[in-house]
Amino acid sequence: MYARIAGTGSFLPKKILTNADLEKLVDTSDEWIRSRTGIEQRHIVEDGETTTDLAEHASRNAMAAAGVGPGDIDLICVGTTTPDFVFPNVGTLLQSRLGIHGCPAFSLEAACTSFMYALSVADKFVRLGESKCALVVGAETLTRIVDWKDRGTCVLFADGAGAVILQPAEEPGIIATHLHADGKYKDLLLYPDGVSSGFKLVREGKAGVQMKGNEVYKVAVNTLGQLVMETLNANHVRKDQVDWLIPHQANIRIIEAIAKRLEMPMERVIVTINTQGNTSAASVPLALDTGIRDGRIRRGQLLLLEAFGGGFTWGSALIRY
Ligand code: UT7
């Protein structure tokens, strides 16, 4: 038994923050942001708009695309690092919004790799016969935890959500997922505050995402390069057999480096970073849905999804769509 993608959906908040807007906030320039990251604009939440709001819209779009209703969903698995509350988890908040009762619903947290982890977990539920219709979401309001005085990070991050419906199939579907983590890199990309540390920095007004950008960049390029080769080799797939690379959208230069490693022209890479920025856990399902809805990604094609984030965590999925 395998899991196949029955439908996808996504959602971006209405409010747009341009590079010109950021020039008024910090010492930066449109030219620097475009040339160093590829970002031209990003969507950000309004006051009161939450991760669950974004997840709900994306989920409804995915359910409509798959032709399933609330009564069909028997598992909800959300990847996010920016939940509405400490608890209930975003999975159960989403469950309530969708009018679903009783099925397991949870969120898991692996920074920008959260969706890849969520997809891998849900894939196992479906393969084991424990889910016949799983809702898998990557949703994030990362701009809520950004330090708007830090030009090294505030120009990068953005908000959004993407969702997929998984159903059982005789043939893949999801051929394989590959997940990794190495906590020795914990100090390179982090938000060092939270419940059990007493929200000390939040109370002092000093909280925010911290990143040693250049060091993260180097590890990301090396690690993702190894990850995509591991994924192809483990599944006996050649580079030229992959139809679409659907990468985490952290930096256009990282995306180009991985495409080069795969000897793929950029025409076969789904890029959304220019208009969406880095939406963390939402970026891969947003890019997947973008490519499917605009007709580039077609049924039967071979997709390689990958992501990298704080922890560090990293993961991939090889999917016959
Ligand atoms: O999604 C999770 C994973 N995250 C990533 O993979 C992000 C990885 N890192 C990156 O994408 C890049 O490292 C950044 C986009 C964050 C930074 O680009 P960079 O080419 O590595 O720049 P840098 O950090 O080496 O900084 C170069 C210069 C510095 O100035 P000096 O010291 O050379 O005078 C920075 O202070 O650019 C400066 N700088 C900026 N200048 C204008 C840093 N941020 C900005 C800014 N505007 N927003």
Side-chain angles (χ1 to χ4, degrees), residues 27-29 32-33 36-37 112 151-152 155-157 189 211 213-214 216-217 220 248 250-251 253-254 278 308-309:
D27 179 15
T28 190
S29 66
W32 190 96
I33 302 171
R36 308 296 267 212
T37 72
C112 297
R151 69 177 183 174
V155 304
L156 306 172
F157 294 106
L189 175 53
M211 179 165 74
N214 204 265
V216 177
Y217 183 94
H248 173 48
N251 188 317
R253 293 182 291 140
I254 298 177
N278 180 348
F308 180 90

Side-chain angles (χ1 to χ4, degrees), residues 307-320:
F308 180 90
F312 289 144
T313 53
W314 60 101
S316 66
L318 189 67
I319 300 175
R320 178 70 66 188

Side-chain angles (χ1 to χ4, degrees), residues 134-175:
L135 170 60
V136 190
V137 183
E140 214 75 272
T141 49
L142 220 85
T143 62
R144 295 270 189 246
I145 59 167
V146 155
D147 174 357
W148 290 101
K149 292 185 288 300
D150 176 14
R151 69 177 183 174
T153 51
C154 76
V155 304
L156 306 172
F157 294 106
D159 306 324
V164 305
I165 301 290
L166 296 184
Q167 288 181 330
E170 299 275 309
E171 292 184 5
I174 299 181
I175 297 165

Side-chain angles (χ1 to χ4, degrees), residues 55-137:
E56 181 186 352
H57 288 295
S59 300
R60 289 191 187 280
N61 291 339
M63 288 161 65
V68 301
D72 299 310
I73 304 289
D74 59 11
L75 173 75
I76 300 175
C77 181
V78 181
T80 185
T81 309
T82 45
D84 303 27
F85 305 134
V86 172
F87 66 86
N89 71 70
V90 176
T92 49
L93 297 176
L94 179 61
Q95 184 187 38
S96 155
R97 293 278 187 88
L98 296 172
I100 300 168
H101 307 278
C103 76
F106 57 95
S107 51
L108 58 78
E109 179 229 313
C112 297
T113 318
S114 299
F115 175 76
M116 303 310 305
Y117 271 67
L119 187 71
S120 183
V121 169
D123 175 46
K124 276 139 190 110
F125 270 82
V126 175
R127 279 185 191 228
L128 288 169
E130 292 190 16
S131 169
K132 297 212 163 358
C133 191
L135 170 60
V136 190
V137 183

